[in-house]
Amino acid sequence: MKSFITNNALETIELGNKIGSLLVSGDVVLLTGDLSAGKTTITKGIGQALGVKKIINSPTFTIVKVYKGNIPLYHLDLYRLDGLNNDFDLEEYIESDGVCVIEWPFQVKEILPKEYILITLNRLDEDKRSILVEGIGRYEKIIKEL
Ligand code: ADP
Ligand code: MG
């Protein structure tokens, strides 16, 4: 596990970029932290590293946004999943050959993969965030390169 403090959104994007540069097709990243902790912000950096050119914004009202890159990015936000019926096929994205980044992942505990990167963000003040990055399973090695 590695821990970081960022002092502004750009630093969080930079950290996301670093993490993204270590990812390959099929990887899964889970993001936890309160609203405004910086989950979507760090995803912007991950997307940069994957070669996504479009601006990455919160998918809160759409559940999933798909971005073209050198590796496709599937950006999911499950915050509102409760209110949906069950025909949303999350596994389709988790098992895809893109990189899958999931905000509020523990809404769907039962179908999460066994191995993933877990990023926990905490708001320390207006512009300061603590960011823990954990590699579960095969991702343990990747985290050492951060
Ligand atoms: P979440 O997806 O967790 O709800 P967002 O990334 O959408 O959070 O929002 C985070 C907000 O906090 C943005 O407005 C961002 O500019 C701001 N912010 C300020 N400092 C930081 C920081 N160090 N890291 C990330 N975001 C920050
Ligand atoms: Mg968000």
Side-chain angles (χ1 to χ4, degrees):
M1 187 197 299
K2 291 228 171 133
S3 76
F4 302 86
I5 302 275
T6 62
N7 296 297
N8 53 58
L10 267 183
E11 285 184 18
T12 298
I13 291 172
E14 258 325 291
L15 177 61
N17 196 316
K18 243 184 184 172
I19 295 167
S21 70
L22 300 171
L23 299 176
V24 298
S25 287
D27 280 351
V28 175
V29 179
L30 309 185
L31 302 178
T32 69
D34 292 339
L35 284 175
S36 286
K39 301 181 295 298
T40 297
T41 301
I42 202 166
T43 306
K44 291 176 194 281
I46 294 174
Q48 270 180 12
L50 301 181
V52 172
K53 299 282 181 268
K54 272 201 182 162
I55 292 174
I56 294 171
N57 285 316
S58 173
T60 294
F61 296 100
T62 51
I63 307 291
V64 60
K65 282 191 178 171
V66 180
Y67 297 92
K68 278 189 203 139
N70 304 322
I71 305 176
L73 170 66
Y74 301 99
H75 183 198
L76 290 88
D77 185 326
L78 307 183
Y79 188 65
R80 285 184 164 70
L81 197 60
D82 253 5
L84 291 178
N85 51 31
N86 295 335
D87 48 348
F88 177 69
D89 188 5
L90 181 71
E91 278 155 311
E92 184 186 317
Y93 299 104
I94 288 182
E95 287 161 13
S96 76
D97 58 357
V99 162
C100 196
V101 175
I102 310 178
E103 302 189 28
W104 301 98
F106 299 115
Q107 298 272 74
V108 293
K109 274 195 213 79
E110 323 75 45
I111 55 170
L112 291 175
K114 291 199 181 62
E115 302 184 308
Y116 47 78
I117 291 177
L118 177 63
I119 303 178
T120 306
L121 301 104
N122 268 297
R123 188 180 181 282
L124 300 180
D125 66 27
E126 186 68 28
D127 293 319
K128 215 177 220 183
R129 304 290 186 273
S130 75
I131 304 177
L132 278 178
V133 186
E134 281 170 87
I136 311 296
R138 68 186 156 100
Y139 295 98
E140 235 174 288
K141 266 191 275 172
I142 295 180
I143 301 309
K144 293 197 179 119
E145 290 170 49
L146 272 182

